[in-house]
Amino acid sequence: MLDPVPSSSHPGRTLAACILASVLVFLDGSVVNVALPAIRDDLGGTLAGQQWIVEGFLLSLSALLLLGGSLGDLMGRHRVLIVGVLAFGATSLLCALAPSVELLVAGRILQGVAGALLVPVSLAIITATFAESERGAAIGTWTAGTSVSMIAGPFVGGFFVDQVSWRLIFAINVPLVLATLWLARSIVPDRPRSHVKIDGTGALLATIGLAGVIYALVEQPAGGWGAARVAVPGVVGVVALAAFLAWERRVDEPMLPLGMFRSRDFAAINLATVALYAPLGASTFVLSVFLQQVAGYSATHAGLALLPTTLVVIVAARRFGGLADRLGRKHFVGTGALVCAAAFALLLRVDADAPYLAQILPAVLVLGVGLSIAVAPLTATVLATVGEAHAGTASGINNAASRVAGLVAIAALGGLAATTFTGRVDAATRTAPAESRPALVAAREQPFVLTNTAPVGEQRAVRAELADASVAAYRTAMGAGAVLAALASLIAFAGLTSRHAAPAEPEPEPAI
């Protein structure tokens, strides 16, 4: 059994190191969206290349988070944290200096690999460092820090793009890496297990499975499910994921210990995580694109739009984490998810002009309240359902669930929005004047883009049709997000049992 990390003589520095290590990952998961047009202008490339700049990072991060949590438990959390921080710094430099889209995508994939080491071991170190009476507040502080980086990422990226260069969004990681390494000196090293077995086969199957499914979801709106370039990767992905689950039941040291899911609370909280983080990831992406390309916001202003959410989380997350420890986490998770659903419902009011004070600000404030109520108790519940020795694995599973949820949701809800947009443009094309129809046909594959090739006298009317179609596509995605967040609330209220669940032991499943 892995020896727990002894209590640190500098718990504040330990907490700061864990927060900064995770901030590196969450910031880079959200900072790139607003920089994609500038990257395209500088390096060229296609729309598919732009998509993979985002999805490549999320894919490797999501697929390997489980392995990262297991590595921390098996090899020593302090050691894995240091290796992950160093690797993240090196790959950030690779991205900052990339001379082509291909090398940038490669750097982003490697960044995701390094990030998969950081998040689960950070939470496991916090769990071992703080007593149970202080753990909820500590996790709330971690939640505030990581939420700030995730939600403020678009603002940071927009500011750097507008004022300096898109390359700075990656280069800025270097001083953060140095600060993390300095703070990490306060973490007391833990002893690894003497015999380490790494589930490389499981990691490979998970990566292939997720890559195939995500590729199919991204390409489906353009090619349709019947196209070979969509169907073949999709089938390969589904088969690989099924093989992954079968393999995890047989292997001695699985990266996904299925025995943990025998705990009702552990299973329910991870399902709630998927249902809550899916719309959060997709809505941040869709809203950022919509505000810039339809409503005319600058990159900086689009990032600032979400700043109130960040401020609310900073102020309230730690307090709600402590309250949930005393009053019971179940109701906080369920209520917080329901408030998030209300925030997504408020975002349905947004039109093509998107006036900030009237339409955006109320929704993002409500979203901040919902996240503050839900996220820290959600994370604490995950860790409370397992023994301390398996905290890294449990946090890896939960973080993988949240990352996979966002990864799939960006592809799936983006595809849903694209399908809605195409349908609305096709309907408009059938009733439009003959001279406008070629421009509408040419624009049908470009959701949230209002520029068009219509004759000068028709451009304004075509632009209005494209704006209406873009609003419909945006609202479809936000409506789906509201439904998913409400489902997360239902799962929490119906699925979670008690405040203090018995730890779930990740014993291997019997061989089949």
Side-chain angles (χ1 to χ4, degrees), residues 430-454:
R430 290 192 289 269
T431 59
E435 55 270 27
S436 299
R437 291 175 188 172
L440 288 168
V441 170
R444 67 189 299 275
E445 303 295 341
Q446 302 180 61
F448 308 129
V449 175
L450 304 187
T451 55
N452 60 85
T453 59

Side-chain angles (χ1 to χ4, degrees), residues 329-423:
R329 300 169 185 137
K330 168 181 177 176
H331 297 292
F332 280 79
V333 176
T335 300
L338 193 60
V339 173
C340 288
F344 294 130
L346 283 174
L347 286 170
L348 290 171
R349 301 165 53 243
V350 174
D351 57 29
D353 295 325
Y356 185 74
L357 293 179
Q359 295 182 357
I360 306 297
L361 181 60
V364 297
L365 286 172
V366 173
L367 181 61
V369 173
L371 290 174
S372 299
I373 296 171
V375 176
L378 185 152
T379 304
T381 300
V382 170
L383 299 177
T385 59
V386 300
E388 184 178 295
H390 303 294
T393 302
S395 63
I397 291 172
N398 188 250
N399 276 282
S402 65
R403 298 309 112 203
V404 169
L407 177 68
V408 174
I410 289 173
L413 296 190
L416 184 62
T419 301
T420 301
F421 178 86
T422 300

Side-chain angles (χ1 to χ4, degrees), residues 73-153:
D73 289 342
L74 296 173
M75 300 182 66
R77 298 160 186 166
H78 179 262
R79 177 184 300 175
V80 170
L81 181 77
I82 296 300
V83 171
V85 170
L86 289 171
F88 204 92
T91 54
S92 295
L93 280 177
L94 176 61
C95 292
L97 299 173
S100 67
V101 171
E102 291 76 15
L103 281 178
L104 179 56
V105 171
R108 291 285 286 166
I109 292 172
L110 292 174
Q111 265 193 317
V113 174
L117 301 177
L118 296 180
V119 176
V121 296
S122 297
L123 277 170
I125 290 171
I126 291 173
T127 300
T129 300
F130 291 88
E132 186 172 356
S133 60
E134 301 173 333
R135 196 172 296 156
I139 292 174
T141 304
W142 178 90
T143 300
T146 55
S147 296
V148 165
S149 63
M150 182 174 63
I151 298 172

Side-chain angles (χ1 to χ4, degrees), residues 30-31 34 151-160 299-307:
S30 61
V31 73
V34 296
I151 298 172
F155 161 65
V156 174
F159 178 81
F160 287 162
T300 302
H301 290 158
L304 278 172
L306 291 172
L307 187 59

